[in-house]
Amino acid sequence: MSDTIAENVIATLASVKRIPAESIKLDTPLQELGIDSLDTFTLLFELESKFNISIPDDDARNIRTVNDIVEGIRKLVTANNSGSSTPSAAPAD
Amino acid sequence: MPDRRVAVTGVGIICAAGLNTKEAWNSLQRGIPAIGPITSVDTSTLRFHNAAEVRGYDPGAHFPGSQQDHLDRFAQFAVIAAREAVADSGVTLTPELCERTAVVLGTGTGGQSTQDAGFEDLYLHRRGRVHPLIIPRAMVNAGASQVCMEFGATGPAFAISTACSSSNHAIGLAFQMVRRGDAELAFTGGSEAPFGLGLLKAWEAMRVMAPDTCRPFCKDRRGMVLGEGGAVLILEPLEAAQARGAKVYAEIAGFGMSSDAHHVTQPTVAGPARAMRSALKDGNLAPAQFGYVNAHGTGTPGNDPTETRAIHEVFGPHAKRLAVSSTKSMHGHALGAAGAIESVATIMALKDGILPPTANFTEADPECDLDYIPNQPRIARVEYALSNSFAFGGLNAVLAFRASH
């Protein structure tokens, strides 16, 4: 499952940034790929739709590598599948 | 003609902190936040639910009959603030003066709610036609035009739209026009009414909105909180104001602008620093003459440390002696109206010798090491103050004010 998520994240990242998927590794810092905040917003927006999740702003701020995104999404997807209410859909107060 | 000194002789405001200058300043000087649950929009699909809305406002009480339907909320705010400002100034708008009167107002998004309603009719309800007044209500110059018509001001008039710097750019340009003799009087400031689901959703997607409240310069700040409203200043040559025995709130002493030319949303230190330096240079002022800075202070992770570093760069060792506050912690970030609302706060601070605090203050971010006037107002007579506005798009505009006492 984590492989699927990782593959999906890498494919989405490649499509958003218009770069070859082969150039993206899990431990690649986003900065090294030239991903700035605007690209990150777009990427998270695409991933939210693909996985039917909502990524909280506070989590989004702490993303540094591709793997940070994969792990974050895995947690949200697991929470969704376990039937609990989406933890991130509620206001993060 | 040599440069003339420019006085602020009237102020008008409507914002979350109050429906007029007396109410708003009373609240701001005490450090009372006007941030609460959003009531004008259903926020059930939003990740944030708080904002600084104008409460207790009845358009019908200000605009009789169908007039209220001819003006979007942002233009209503402009006219209401202009009415208060001109009455406050006591100036008589003779036909001769009207021809020499400028109107320069800022707004970021103009009549966005009007646009939204039109799009809803068209795309959602599949109606074949839209309301006939969308264009005159929504255009960004609607506020400026309505103020011109209300007072018969027939001199130079235009709107400025530079996102969150709109009002400061507007006031700065009006100041330059009065200073060099292109106008004998100016209505200037700006207004914004951003509360519509479309725009709130767009801000949410930018991931800069605080889910709780606005805590500028604090370690636990989580972003900005939107505000709305309008504020207008009446500018006149100081000599003319004194000749007619007008009360002078403050003088505008300098104006500086710059562009980051860097990134559409990430601020730089250099850009804001150059705008502040340029305002000081414009007024031939030294850092040590300043006692207060009304900061841009949005409460976002990006702005606050960057602005702090820029203030250090410009003021050097004097930065530690400056009092700096962000009144956005109380009236929210009113975008294109922010500079105008904060100018009123700055002018009143100079006039009354009370510096408004940064409300909701918890613990300072280690990267933010200035005196932010946490929570409690400061009694202090200050001669010069700056008011900062830095916009998305990297456009910066800074005003320098001088106390009149």
Side-chain angles (χ1 to χ4, degrees), chain B residues 28 33-35 52 164 213-216 224-227 294-299 303 307 325-335 338-339 341-342 357-360 388-390:
Chain B
L28 295 177
I35 293 167
C164 308
T213 192
C214 177
R215 302 186 195 284
M224 56 184 256
V225 167
L226 282 175
N294 188 298
H296 186 53
T298 53
N303 176 80
E307 183 172 14
S325 72
S326 169
T327 48
K328 285 189 178 74
S329 57
M330 297 177 273
H331 54 63
H333 190 347
L335 308 174
I341 290 170
E342 289 154 31
T358 304
N360 311 314
N388 286 343
S389 285
F390 312 135

Side-chain angles (χ1 to χ4, degrees), chain A residues 36-38 40-41 44-45 48 54-58 60-61 88-93, chain B residues 46-49 204-212 221-223 263-266 301:
Chain A
D36 73 353
S37 56
L38 299 186
T40 307
F41 297 153
L44 299 183
F45 173 76
E48 283 181 330
S54 170
I55 301 164
D57 291 349
D58 290 346
R61 281 184 198 129
S88 49
D93 51 4
Chain B
L46 285 166
R47 281 202 299 266
F48 64 96
H49 307 271
E204 176 188 78
M206 287 298 302
R207 297 184 178 274
V208 289
M209 306 307 295
D212 47 2
R221 70 187 183 282
R222 295 177 72 186
H263 189 276
V264 78
T265 59
Q266 295 300 310

Side-chain angles (χ1 to χ4, degrees), chain A residues 10-83:
Chain A
I10 288 173
T12 312
L13 183 46
S15 143
V16 164
K17 193 61 189 170
R18 295 194 171 89
I19 53 174
E22 303 77 55
S23 66
I24 305 167
K25 302 277 170 285
L26 279 181
D27 58 353
T28 314
L30 295 178
Q31 214 179 350
E32 229 168 74
L33 296 168
I35 306 278
D36 73 353
S37 56
L38 299 186
D39 292 328
T40 307
F41 297 153
T42 310
L43 173 66
L44 299 183
F45 173 76
E46 296 293 345
L47 292 170
E48 283 181 330
S49 299
K50 278 192 179 178
F51 289 99
N52 190 27
I53 52 172
S54 170
I55 301 164
D57 291 349
D58 290 346
D59 292 355
R61 281 184 198 129
N62 296 321
I63 293 168
R64 299 287 175 272
T65 65
V66 180
N67 199 45
D68 290 343
I69 300 175
V70 174
E71 291 309 314
I73 288 177
R74 196 184 1 253
K75 260 183 227 153
L76 292 169
V77 169
T78 310
N80 263 1
N81 290 347
S82 70

Side-chain angles (χ1 to χ4, degrees), chain B residues 3 73 84-85 88-89 144 149 188 190 196 206 220 231 251 269 279 337 392:
Chain B
D3 276 354
R73 190 170 167 96
E84 187 193 355
D88 181 46
S89 76
M149 291 187 287
T188 187
M206 287 298 302
D220 59 350
E251 288 177 57
V269 174
F392 270 1

Side-chain angles (χ1 to χ4, degrees), chain B residues 49-350:
Chain B
H49 307 271
N50 292 336
E53 291 176 299
V54 171
R55 304 279 178 94
Y57 164 59
D58 172 16
H62 297 270
F63 302 97
S66 63
Q67 201 194 359
Q68 63 175 293
D69 302 321
H70 300 169
L71 281 75
D72 182 90
R73 190 170 167 96
F74 98 95
Q76 294 176 10
F77 288 158
V79 170
I80 289 167
R83 282 176 185 162
E84 187 193 355
V86 78
D88 181 46
S89 76
V91 74
T92 306
L93 292 168
T94 61
E96 297 73 28
L97 183 56
C98 279
E99 282 188 18
R100 305 274 294 134
T101 292
V103 176
V104 186
L105 296 179
T107 185
T109 60
Q112 182 83 32
S113 311
T114 293
Q115 293 268 32
D116 252 24
F119 292 153
E120 227 175 282
D121 280 346
L122 203 55
Y123 302 130
L124 184 68
H125 304 306
R126 300 278 170 194
R127 292 198 182 113
R129 51 194 215 139
V130 295
H131 194 277
L133 299 185
I134 289 182
I135 299 294
R137 280 170 55 107
M139 58 193 189
V140 291
N141 60 312
S145 298
Q146 293 290 348
V147 169
C148 287
M149 291 187 287
E150 173 96 7
F151 301 101
T154 52
F158 52 97
I160 291 186
S161 190
T162 51
C164 308
S165 291
S166 303
S167 284
N168 264 16
H169 275 123
I171 295 168
L173 289 190
F175 156 65
Q176 290 177 342
M177 288 163 72
V178 173
R179 178 167 69 177
R180 67 172 177 249
D182 292 345
E184 292 304 315
L185 189 113
F187 289 76
T188 187
S191 67
E192 200 79 84
F195 293 108
L197 185 60
L199 200 56
L200 297 188
K201 272 289 183 193
W203 277 107
E204 176 188 78
M206 287 298 302
R207 297 184 178 274
V208 289
M209 306 307 295
D212 47 2
T213 192
C214 177
R215 302 186 195 284
F217 307 107
C218 293
K219 205 173 168 179
D220 59 350
R221 70 187 183 282
R222 295 177 72 186
M224 56 184 256
V225 167
L226 282 175
E228 64 171 348
V232 168
L233 312 178
I234 301 295
L235 307 186
E236 295 178 69
L238 178 66
E239 220 169 88
Q242 285 170 337
R244 70 175 180 88
K247 72 174 170 304
V248 174
Y249 280 93
E251 288 177 57
I252 301 188
F255 175 51
M257 300 181 262
S258 72
S259 159
D260 291 350
H262 170 68
H263 189 276
V264 78
T265 59
Q266 295 300 310
T268 64
V269 174
R274 266 187 301 116
M276 283 189 263
R277 226 176 257 129
S278 155
L280 267 62
K281 193 176 168 217
D282 186 45
N284 199 21
L285 301 167
Q289 289 176 277
F290 284 80
Y292 173 62
V293 176
N294 188 298
H296 186 53
T298 53
T300 58
N303 176 80
D304 299 358
T306 312
E307 183 172 14
T308 298
R309 284 202 293 281
I311 291 171
H312 274 296
E313 258 197 26
V314 172
F315 287 91
H318 186 68
K320 287 287 193 184
R321 287 191 287 275
L322 278 175
V324 179
S325 72
S326 169
T327 48
K328 285 189 178 74
S329 57
M330 297 177 273
H331 54 63
H333 190 347
L335 308 174
I341 290 170
E342 289 154 31
S343 285
V344 171
T346 308
I347 288 163
M348 296 308 288
L350 291 174

